[in-house]
């Protein structure tokens, strides 16, 4: 379903990065100097459970992402989703990169309402960071969640 939503985030020019929002490669800025590169992809590995993953990579000097706490999505209408922290899957080299974290982005239940903006709260060394997702990013999450629910 979501296979092929990989790669090339760092190679995009700014205008192409905006177009990439609908494919699962995102650049987020919280307006306070914290920036993240985000990749939404399907994991299929013999050593770990398969499924949809949301990988975050810090693009801000010195920002460390939390490897234990969940990522939270909220719609501002009393609906919240907690995505399990799966950063331990990043231990291919023996240590989790301090600027990276990974979360289970499987089926969101209930599916977020179409057209309602989402806030993403990311645990980090600078506290909980809040990022507003664009309508294209929300639409991508909705379509992938809708596909896994059917």
């Amino acid at each position: 379903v979501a296979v092929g939503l990989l790669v090339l985030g760092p190679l995009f020019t700014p205008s192409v990065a905006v177009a990439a929002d609908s494919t699962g490669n995102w650049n987020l800025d919280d307006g306070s100097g914290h920036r993240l590169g985000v990749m939404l992809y399907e994991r299929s590995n013999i050593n770990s459970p398969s499924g949809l993953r949301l990988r975050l990579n810090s693009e801000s000097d010195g920002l460390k992402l939390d490897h234990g706490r969940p990522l939270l999505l909220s719609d501002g209408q009393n609906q919240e989703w907690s995505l399990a922290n799966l950063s331990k899957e990043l231990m291919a080299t023996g240590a989790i990169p301090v600027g990276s974290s990974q979360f289970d982005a499987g089926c969101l239940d209930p599916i977020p309402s179409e057209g309602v903006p989402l806030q993403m709260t990311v645990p980090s060394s600078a506290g909980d960071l809040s990022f507003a997702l664009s309508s294209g990013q929300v639409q991508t999450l909705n379509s992938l969640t809708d596909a896994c629910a059917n």
Side-chain angles (χ1 to χ4, degrees), residues 41-55 84-90 102-106:
Y41 72 101
E42 182 75 25
R43 179 180 177 90
S44 56
N45 191 322
I46 295 170
N47 298 323
S48 299
S50 62
L52 201 57
R53 299 293 188 266
L54 192 66
R55 180 175 297 168
N85 194 317
L86 301 177
S87 295
K88 62 184 175 231
E89 293 178 348
L90 300 174
Q102 184 161 287
F103 301 89
D104 181 0

Side-chain angles (χ1 to χ4, degrees), residues 34 36 63-67 69 121-129:
H34 303 108
L36 296 177
L63 182 64
K64 298 174 185 172
L65 300 180
D66 190 286
H67 296 143
R69 293 179 39 219
T121 304
V122 178
S124 78
S125 60
D128 288 346
L129 305 177

Side-chain angles (χ1 to χ4, degrees), residues 7-141:
V7 192
L8 303 181
L11 301 177
F12 290 131
T13 61
S15 61
V16 178
V18 172
D21 281 355
S22 64
T23 64
N25 292 304
W26 309 334
N27 294 304
L28 301 178
D29 188 324
D30 72 350
S32 298
H34 303 108
R35 294 181 320 278
L36 296 177
V38 180
M39 183 172 56
L40 186 62
Y41 72 101
E42 182 75 25
R43 179 180 177 90
S44 56
N45 191 322
I46 295 170
N47 298 323
S48 299
S50 62
L52 201 57
R53 299 293 188 266
L54 192 66
R55 180 175 297 168
L56 309 179
N57 293 301
S58 172
E59 295 178 355
S60 300
D61 290 337
L63 182 64
K64 298 174 185 172
L65 300 180
D66 190 286
H67 296 143
R69 293 179 39 219
L71 178 143
L72 299 176
L73 292 173
S74 61
D75 66 4
Q77 298 180 351
N78 297 323
Q79 188 67 47
E80 291 188 347
W81 298 265
S82 179
L83 280 60
N85 194 317
L86 301 177
S87 295
K88 62 184 175 231
E89 293 178 348
L90 300 174
M91 292 181 51
T93 60
I96 302 171
V98 296
S100 297
S101 58
Q102 184 161 287
F103 301 89
D104 181 0
C107 298
L108 300 179
D109 186 26
I111 297 172
S113 299
E114 194 70 35
V116 174
L118 291 178
Q119 286 291 125
M120 182 169 71
T121 304
V122 178
S124 78
S125 60
D128 288 346
L129 305 177
S130 183
F131 298 89
L133 298 183
S134 73
S135 58
Q137 294 160 344
V138 173
Q139 185 177 11
T140 298
L141 285 173

